């Protein structure tokens, strides 16, 4: 006889992170140093031309270098040095972001060992086929391989025969093994994972060089990161602004020549020589006018957005998917396992008239000790927690005869040595048992059972026989428990302007009860794959972006239709191919986090763009007066910072322009903190913090740099 001592469920074990997983946070100086060689390699014009803003800065730095060689001076070489540093710092931002992804890819590469596959030729169900050894990279789509305990799965595929325990820690970082079996929604396996027990036959679904790990490595390294539509649009805007400022600065030379001709008494200065405006000063002005800050950080922001998803074990197939997550209007969430815990749990003991709750709880616990189902264990724990009843082991009850739960009887219970018999189970089963023992079933029981069912719960009835008299004690209310904190999270979604829809196969009555408790905006009951598709299309027809999760083959059409389709890693290959994200932890609630990360990406880009544009305004007040005050004395009114000299003013602005890029790298990688609020509030916050900050910071920074420059003789 098995011992059935039941205690409270232990706290969930923290999930192990994958080895060498790089966490988000402040910038590591070691990472800066390690990324410097990559930043220098990115100085190649064939690489840098993809970033028009920084490409113009590099051309300006090269031209200034030539001018400094022709007409050398300490000022010229200092400006040249800081112009080149501006380009290097911009490349460094992208290199650091990519470097973080490369560090994460180190672990993934370890899974790509020189595995030999056991390919089966001529295999079909019932026919073992002929086995041959072949290198894993040579496997073709459709090949059949066999993998046994202790062997590495050679490629992505679906289990077509057998069942096995698989260690996926190399991919997910989760140390607990998972079960993979043929048929159903848990048949997909990933190359590089290890079979721990039994034997499975796998049909390879990948093409050579396009395995899950290959794609994951390329994506986290940023090698295959495609620019998103919003990012492309912003790049076009930055390029347009850069071209406008190039023409604006180019007109300064003839303007200066004309002004100097009409004012022959004006002496030559740093900015004005016999030909007009010096080339190095023109380049300095151009670099400080164009939006170099956001131009330098734009790629890093996009890479970091995907990096934050990888840190949460989510693989985004494209940057477009991450960005779309930030614009999602409707969230489709499965009920079981997402909104609720999935297993029904005891929520209340409802006694009949004349029966005390304590007596019902004691009988319910005793009759459930032999019930190893999750529902039975929850009854024992609930009685212990709510009524202080100790979870008794069957061995402690002398001569007790235990009746284990079975699907046939739909009851469990115990026959005690004093003649008392207890049963707990489905209402009809227990009612029939009470009648068979000569007892009567009161009409009150039917009312209680119907009331619990109407509320979306599951009623279990407790009956007893004591001193040869059979009776019903009451009803146990089982309910699908909503996960803690879900209502608060849905409230956050609502504040973001996102509509949440619960999808379930339950009847409308049960679905409404769960939806009301969880706080979702709407629900779809008795949902079929066709219903999901129709709901997504209706939402999209109204101009909304839709996100959903799924793991089965029947979810694949809806995942493909959704703007953000998150497939579970435990799901089928069809689901993973249809979605544009894969959750390696197979946690459906992570869809909410994905939306928050997408919004954080958009907010970070908007905040730094606001800062960059506002940042340029202050730099005008440093350079313009310094350049033209000798020609136009009235411009001295704009010299609000009262900088030491024209030379120090221009140099201070150029130095600040370079340093601010490095200072903002941590923010671009970590992201601006997102708090759910309306679009108007987010805009107000951006303008007040990053807009105003972008104006104030240069005034303070340039002035401090000017004070430092004054400390050096000859400057």
């Amino acid at each position: 006889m098995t011992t059935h001592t039941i205690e409270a469920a232990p706290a969930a074990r923290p999930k192990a992170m994958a080895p060498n997983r790089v966490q988000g946070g402040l910038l590591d100086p070691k990472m800066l140093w390690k990324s410097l060689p990559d930043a220098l390699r990115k100085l190649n014009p064939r690489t840098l031309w993809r970033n028009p803003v920084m490409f113009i800065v590099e051309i300006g730095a090269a031209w200034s270098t030539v001018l400094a060689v022709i007409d050398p001076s300490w000022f010229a070489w200092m400006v040249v040095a800081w112009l080149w540093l501006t380009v290097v710092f911009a490349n460094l931002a992208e290199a650091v972001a990519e470097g973080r992804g490369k560090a994460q890819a180190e672990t993934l590469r370890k899974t790509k060992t020189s595995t030999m596959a056991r390919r089966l030729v001529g295999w079909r169900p019932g026919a073992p086929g002929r086995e041959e050894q072949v290198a894993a990279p040579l496997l073709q789509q459709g090949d059949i391989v066999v993998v046994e305990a202790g062997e590495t799965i050679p490629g992505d595929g679906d289990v077509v025969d057998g069942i096995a325990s698989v260690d996926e820690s190399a991919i997910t970082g989760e140390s607990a093994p998972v079960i993979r079996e043929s048929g159903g929604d848990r048949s997909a396996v990933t190359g590089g994972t290890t079979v721990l027990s039994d034997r499975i036959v796998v049909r390879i679904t990948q093409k050579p060089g396009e395995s899950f790990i290959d794609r994951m490595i390329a994506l986290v390294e940023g090698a295959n990161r495609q620019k998103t539509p919003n990012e492309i649009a912003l790049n076009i805007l930055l390029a347009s602004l850069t071209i406008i400022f190039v023409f604006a600065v180019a007109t300064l030379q003839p303007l200066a020549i004309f002004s100097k001709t009409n004012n022959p008494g004006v002496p030559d200065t740093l900015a004005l020589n016999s030909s007009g405006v010096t080339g190095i000063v023109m380049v300095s002005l151009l670099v400080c006018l164009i939006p170099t800050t956001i131009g330098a950080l734009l790629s890093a922001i996009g890479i970091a957005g995907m990096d934050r998803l990888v840190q949460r074990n989510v693989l985004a197939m494209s940057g477009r998917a991450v960005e779309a997550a930030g614009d999602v209007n409707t969230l489709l969430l499965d009920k079981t396992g997402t909104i609720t815990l999935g297993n029904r749990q005891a929520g209340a003991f409802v006694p009949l008239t004349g029966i005390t709750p304590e007596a019902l709880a004691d009988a319910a616990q005793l009759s459930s000790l032999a019930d190893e189902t999750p529902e039975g264990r929850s009854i024992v724990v609930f009685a212990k927690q709510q009524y202080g009843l100790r979870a008794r082991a069957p061995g402690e009850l002398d001569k007790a005869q235990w009746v284990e739960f079975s699907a046939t009887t739909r009851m469990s219970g115990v026959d005690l040595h004093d003649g008392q018999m207890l049963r707990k189970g489905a209402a009809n089963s227990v009612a029939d048992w009470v009648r068979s023992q000569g007892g009567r079933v009161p009409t009150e029981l039917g009312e209680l059972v119907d009331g619990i069912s109407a509320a979306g719960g599951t009623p279990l009835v407790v009956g007893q026989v004591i001193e040869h008299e059979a009776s019903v004690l009451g009803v146990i209310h089982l309910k699908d428990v909503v996960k803690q904190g879900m209502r608060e999270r849905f409230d956050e979604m609502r504040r973001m302007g996102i509509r949440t829809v619960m999808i379930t196969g339950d009847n409308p009555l049960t679905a409404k009860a769960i939806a009301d408790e969880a706080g979702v905006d709407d629900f779809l009951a008795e949902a079929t794959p066709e219903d999901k598709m129709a709901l997504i299309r209706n939402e999209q027809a109204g101009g909304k972006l839709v996100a959903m999760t799924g793991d089965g083959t029947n979810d694949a059409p809806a995942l493909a239709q959704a703007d953000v389709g998150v497939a579970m890693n435990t799901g089928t290959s069809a689901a993973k191919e249809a979605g544009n994200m894969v959750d390696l932890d197979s946690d459906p609630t992570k869809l909410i986090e994905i939306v928050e990360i997408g919004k954080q990406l958009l907010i970070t880009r908007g905040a730094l763009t606001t800062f960059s544009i506002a940042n340029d305004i202050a730099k005008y007040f440093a350079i313009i007066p310094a350049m033209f005050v000798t020609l136009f004395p009235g411009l001295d009114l704009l010299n609000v910072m009262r900088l030491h000299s024209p030379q120090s003013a221009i140099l201070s602005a150029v130095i600040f322009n370079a340093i601010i890029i490095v200072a903002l790298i941590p923010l671009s990688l970590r992201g601006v903190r997102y708090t759910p609020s309306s679009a108007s509030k987010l805009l107000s916050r951006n303008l007040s913090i990053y807009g105003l900050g972008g104006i104030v910071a240069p005034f303070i920074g340039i002035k401090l740099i000017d004070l430092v420059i004054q400390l050096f003789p000859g400057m």
Side-chain angles (χ1 to χ4, degrees):
M1 183 171 61
T2 307
T3 301
H4 299 280
T5 302
I6 306 295
E7 298 293 342
R13 174 176 53 82
K15 191 183 79 63
M17 292 298 293
N20 298 330
R21 179 62 50 88
V22 179
Q23 300 296 319
L26 296 177
L27 192 63
D28 184 357
K30 293 181 180 178
M31 183 64 74
L32 277 176
W33 182 252
K34 289 174 62 176
S35 302
L36 186 58
D38 286 335
L40 294 176
R41 281 191 288 270
K42 288 177 180 292
L43 290 174
N44 187 335
R46 289 178 295 181
T47 301
L48 201 61
W49 73 268
R50 297 184 180 89
N51 187 337
V53 176
M54 301 317 301
F55 184 60
I56 292 295
V57 176
E58 184 176 44
I59 292 175
W63 183 36
S64 298
T65 303
V66 173
L67 295 177
V69 171
I70 297 173
D71 186 13
S73 67
W74 69 264
F75 170 77
W77 283 112
M78 286 292 290
V79 170
V80 166
W82 281 101
L83 287 176
W84 281 112
L85 285 175
T86 302
V87 185
V88 172
F89 290 163
N91 292 341
L92 191 62
E94 184 174 358
V96 168
E98 291 178 355
R100 286 153 60 98
K102 289 177 181 177
Q104 292 170 354
E106 297 272 337
T107 301
L108 298 175
R109 280 203 174 87
K110 292 178 182 177
T111 65
K112 293 189 63 178
T113 57
S114 53
T115 304
M116 294 298 294
R118 298 165 57 189
R119 183 165 60 186
L120 298 178
V121 179
W123 179 92
R124 65 180 184 276
R130 175 174 55 85
E131 183 177 315
E132 64 180 14
Q133 294 283 328
V134 61
L138 299 180
L139 288 173
Q140 300 293 319
Q141 192 174 28
D143 283 348
I144 303 294
V145 297
V146 60
V147 191
E148 296 184 347
E151 297 179 347
T152 300
I153 297 174
D156 301 349
D158 289 324
V159 178
V160 293
D161 185 54
I163 181 173
S165 175
V166 179
D167 176 12
E168 295 186 340
S169 59
I171 304 296
T172 67
E174 175 58 68
S175 57
V178 296
I179 300 299
R180 293 290 179 263
E181 58 185 328
S182 59
D185 293 339
R186 296 183 179 272
S187 61
V189 292
T190 305
T193 57
T194 304
V195 173
L196 298 179
S197 67
D198 302 295
R199 174 184 185 273
I200 52 176
V201 177
V202 178
R203 176 181 287 111
I204 300 298
T205 58
Q206 72 181 49
K207 296 179 181 178
E210 296 182 8
S211 70
F212 186 79
I213 294 179
D214 287 324
R215 287 182 293 163
M216 191 170 181
I217 290 173
L219 286 164
V220 299
E221 286 184 331
N224 285 354
R225 191 186 77 87
Q226 300 296 319
K227 291 184 178 180
T228 64
N230 284 350
E231 192 174 347
I232 292 173
L234 185 54
N235 262 318
I236 293 173
L237 173 62
L238 297 181
S240 301
L241 290 175
T242 301
I243 293 172
I244 291 171
F245 282 121
V246 166
F247 283 109
V249 171
T251 61
L252 295 179
Q253 178 74 2
L255 174 64
I257 294 174
F258 175 78
S259 300
K260 189 173 175 61
T261 302
N262 291 337
N263 297 274
V266 175
D268 283 350
T269 65
L270 167 76
L272 296 172
N273 56 25
S274 56
S275 301
V277 182
T278 62
I280 289 181
V281 173
M282 287 178 62
V283 172
S284 301
L285 175 63
L286 176 62
V287 169
C288 291
L289 288 181
I290 62 178
T292 51
T293 306
I294 186 60
L297 300 174
L298 193 56
S299 294
I301 294 170
I303 295 172
M306 298 186 72
D307 172 68
R308 281 191 289 276
L309 278 179
V310 173
Q311 290 174 17
R312 289 163 177 80
N313 271 3
V314 177
L315 173 61
M317 299 304 179
S318 69
R320 182 191 296 265
V322 185
E323 193 170 89
D327 287 328
V328 160
N329 306 107
T330 304
L331 219 56
L332 305 186
L333 298 162
D334 186 49
K335 185 204 75 168
T336 305
T338 304
I339 296 174
T340 65
L341 294 175
N343 294 324
R344 295 169 300 171
Q345 296 188 359
F349 293 136
V350 186
L352 293 178
T353 302
I355 306 297
T356 65
E358 290 76 14
L360 175 59
D362 184 63
Q365 187 186 64
L366 278 171
S367 59
S368 300
L369 289 176
D371 185 357
E372 287 291 352
T373 65
E375 292 86 354
R377 291 195 295 268
S378 76
I379 293 169
V380 176
V381 172
F382 184 75
K384 175 183 177 182
Q385 292 175 342
Q386 297 297 317
Y387 295 93
L389 298 176
R390 185 169 60 88
R392 291 159 290 191
E396 299 178 24
L397 301 172
D398 188 32
K399 298 180 182 179
Q401 297 294 319
W402 298 94
V403 179
E404 296 187 3
F405 177 85
S406 73
T408 303
T409 64
R410 300 172 68 195
M411 291 189 302
S412 66
V414 60
D415 296 339
L416 301 176
H417 68 283
D418 58 1
Q420 183 183 10
M421 294 186 292
L422 297 170
R423 294 293 185 272
K424 174 268 306 175
N428 291 338
S429 299
V430 175
D432 291 342
W433 177 80
V434 169
R435 293 189 187 98
S436 70
Q437 299 296 322
R440 185 181 64 85
V441 178
T443 57
E444 183 186 358
L445 178 65
E447 296 173 359
L448 291 178
V449 168
D450 291 343
I452 291 173
S453 298
T458 301
L460 295 180
V461 176
V462 179
Q464 73 169 359
V465 174
I466 185 169
E467 296 180 356
H468 306 291
E469 290 187 9
S471 62
V472 177
L473 299 178
V475 184
I476 304 168
H477 184 175
L478 292 181
K479 60 181 181 178
D480 200 355
V481 180
V482 174
K483 291 181 178 179
Q484 187 175 7
M486 290 306 295
R487 176 174 284 275
E488 290 75 13
R489 299 198 75 173
F490 289 138
D491 288 341
E492 288 185 11
M493 295 290 110
R494 205 168 289 111
R495 287 194 292 272
M496 294 181 197
I498 297 175
R499 176 171 171 262
T500 53
V501 181
M502 182 184 78
I503 301 176
T504 177
D506 291 339
N507 63 71
L509 199 61
T510 301
K512 185 178 187 309
I514 296 294
D516 291 342
E517 184 179 354
V520 296
D521 298 312
D522 202 354
F523 65 89
L524 178 65
E526 299 176 343
T528 65
E530 292 76 16
D531 294 333
K532 297 177 186 178
M533 283 285 291
L535 177 60
I536 293 173
R537 286 172 175 166
N538 287 339
E539 292 289 324
Q540 291 173 332
K544 298 178 180 178
L545 296 184
V546 181
M548 76 161 288
T549 61
D551 59 359
T553 300
N554 62 346
D555 290 325
L559 287 171
Q561 180 68 35
D563 300 284
V564 179
V566 183
M568 302 296 101
N569 192 42
T570 55
T572 62
S573 295
K576 290 195 281 190
E577 288 295 329
N580 47 28
M581 291 189 187
V582 177
D583 177 17
L584 302 180
D585 296 330
S586 299
D587 176 10
T589 61
K590 200 175 289 183
L591 180 59
I592 299 175
E593 293 183 46
I594 292 171
V595 170
E596 292 175 347
I597 290 172
K599 286 190 173 296
Q600 186 184 33
L601 169 65
L602 297 177
I603 289 170
T604 302
R605 185 185 298 156
L608 291 182
T609 300
T610 303
F611 183 92
S612 177
I613 294 174
N615 186 50
D616 293 334
I617 296 175
K619 288 181 284 189
Y620 303 161
F621 289 90
I623 293 186
I624 298 296
M627 288 181 63
F628 295 103
V629 71
T630 54
L631 278 175
F632 307 105
L635 288 177
D636 189 57
L637 293 174
L638 297 179
N639 189 18
V640 293
M641 286 184 272
R642 295 299 165 187
L643 302 177
H644 177 62
S645 65
Q647 293 95 327
S648 67
I650 294 171
L651 185 57
S652 297
V654 172
I655 293 174
F656 176 83
N657 193 65
I659 291 177
I660 197 64
I661 294 174
V662 178
L664 290 175
I665 290 178
L667 182 61
S668 66
L669 298 181
R670 187 177 62 248
V672 175
R673 183 180 178 183
Y674 172 69
T675 53
S677 56
S678 64
S680 59
K681 289 183 178 179
L682 289 175
L683 178 61
S684 299
R685 190 183 72 171
N686 263 7
L687 292 176
S688 60
I689 297 177
Y690 298 98
L692 183 60
I695 294 175
V696 173
F699 279 96
I700 298 174
I702 291 173
K703 182 62 179 179
L704 291 176
I705 294 172
D706 179 69
L707 294 174
V708 172
I709 290 176
Q710 294 179 41
L711 299 178
F712 295 92
M715 291 191 179

